[in-house]
């Protein structure tokens, strides 16, 4: 009986002939001896074509955490690239809040400090030179106002079917992203300016959409 050694080959018992069952212990012992010899003969896995192929990546990677580097953060007005002045940044941040359709109701009815985020907005604009943070601040104010409106049941109104609902002066002016400053909010729905579309008026007609992130 010849023993063949291979990672994919094992000794199988022939159930049709009981004579070979007697040889099974001997065959198992020969397989173990072959495995020991194989392990001694191969010092490198790359020398075994059954265990190694070109798909195995043996490259060593070293990640650079850049511990010693300092991030470059702008701290002056006007900004170095776009030249945004402090007056321009303040005007855009405050203007975004005052254009919010529920801004005055949030302040007068629910006591929301609608101008509390102006300083943070200006700081973000100074560092990034990007006015999108004004829109983010507006969304935060809108979310805070909506939370207070829905949680304060004392100001709920009675609908036509007799159920209590949040006040219409809030729900009718809650639009997604405040219509991206490219439309008006009417009864909770954006009516986009000419040349803009989508639920929040964020898509400019004829212009390819911008991927904000890759899922």
């Amino acid at each position: 009986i010849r023993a063949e050694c291979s990672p994919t080959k094992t000794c199988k018992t022939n159930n049709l002939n009981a004579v070979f069952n007697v040889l099974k212990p001997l065959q198992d012992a020969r397989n173990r001896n072959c495995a020991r010899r194989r392990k001694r003969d191969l010092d490198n896995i790359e020398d075994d074509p059954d265990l190694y192929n070109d798909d195995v990546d043996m490259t060593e990677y070293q990640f650079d955490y850049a511990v010693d580097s300092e991030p470059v953060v702008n701290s002056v007005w006007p900004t170095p690239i776009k030249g945004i002045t402090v007056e321009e940044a303040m005007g855009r941040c405050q203007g975004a809040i005052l254009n919010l359709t529920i801004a005055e109701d949030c302040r007068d009815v629910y006591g929301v400090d609608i101008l509390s985020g102006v300083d943070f907005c200006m700081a973000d604009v100074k560092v990034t030179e990007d006015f999108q943070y004004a829109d983010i601040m507006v969304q935060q104010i809108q979310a805070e106002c909506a939370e207070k409106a829905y949680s304060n049941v004392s100001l709920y109104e009675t609908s036509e079917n007799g159920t209590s609902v949040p006040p219409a002066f809030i729900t009718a002016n809650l639009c997604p992203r405040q219509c991206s400053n490219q439309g008006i909010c009417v009864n909770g729905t954006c009516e986009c300016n000419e040349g803009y579309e989508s639920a929040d008026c964020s898509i400019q007609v004829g212009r390819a959409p911008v991927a904000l992130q890759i899922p």
Side-chain angles (χ1 to χ4, degrees):
I1 300 175
R2 184 179 65 180
E4 295 183 3
C5 296
S6 172
T8 59
K9 292 182 180 180
T10 57
C11 178
K12 296 183 179 180
T13 302
N14 187 347
N15 295 325
L16 299 179
N17 193 340
V19 176
F20 289 100
N21 293 338
V22 179
L23 301 177
K24 184 177 185 301
L26 178 61
Q27 181 69 43
D28 289 343
R30 290 181 177 178
N31 284 344
R32 288 194 296 271
N33 291 334
C34 288
R36 284 194 290 269
R37 289 197 304 271
R38 188 183 189 87
K39 184 176 181 180
R40 288 195 300 269
D41 294 341
L42 292 177
D43 295 330
N44 193 332
I45 189 176
E46 297 182 12
D47 297 332
D48 189 338
D50 292 327
L51 297 179
Y52 176 81
N53 58 62
D54 291 336
D55 294 335
V56 178
D57 189 357
M58 307 297 290
T59 306
E60 294 184 1
Y61 294 94
Q62 293 183 353
F63 184 79
D64 184 10
Y65 289 93
V67 177
D68 298 330
S69 64
E70 293 291 336
V72 179
V73 179
N74 176 54
S75 60
V76 297
W77 299 103
T79 59
I81 299 177
K82 295 184 178 180
I84 301 174
T85 64
V86 62
E87 293 81 11
E88 183 181 1
M90 180 179 294
R92 289 288 292 271
C93 291
Q94 290 182 346
I97 296 174
L98 297 178
N99 287 335
L100 184 63
T101 54
I102 58 175
E104 294 183 0
D105 290 327
C106 289
R107 179 192 61 197
D108 299 338
V109 178
Y110 298 105
V112 176
D113 186 359
I114 59 176
L115 298 178
S116 62
V118 171
D119 291 339
F120 294 102
C121 175
M122 293 177 60
D124 290 332
V125 171
K126 185 196 311 186
V127 172
T128 65
E129 300 189 77
D130 191 341
F131 284 111
Q132 69 171 340
Y133 290 96
D135 295 332
I136 295 175
M137 176 189 59
V138 167
Q139 293 177 51
Q140 292 174 341
I141 295 174
Q142 182 172 283
E144 181 182 358
C145 187
E147 181 182 0
K148 290 182 178 294
Y150 281 93
S151 61
N152 190 349
V153 296
S154 64
L155 295 178
Y156 272 30
E157 301 172 348
T158 303
S159 64
E160 296 179 355
N161 57 9
T163 60
S164 296
V165 294
F169 65 82
I170 291 294
T171 57
N173 291 299
L174 286 176
C175 283
R177 296 190 62 194
Q178 198 56 29
C179 303
S180 305
N181 293 324
Q182 297 296 341
I184 59 175
C185 184
V186 179
N187 295 326
T189 303
C190 287
E191 293 186 359
C192 302
N193 297 335
E194 184 178 357
Y196 290 87
E197 60 183 10
S198 78
D200 60 357
C201 303
S202 61
I203 298 178
Q204 187 175 0
V205 178
R207 182 178 180 181
V210 178
L212 300 179
Q213 64 180 9
I214 300 177

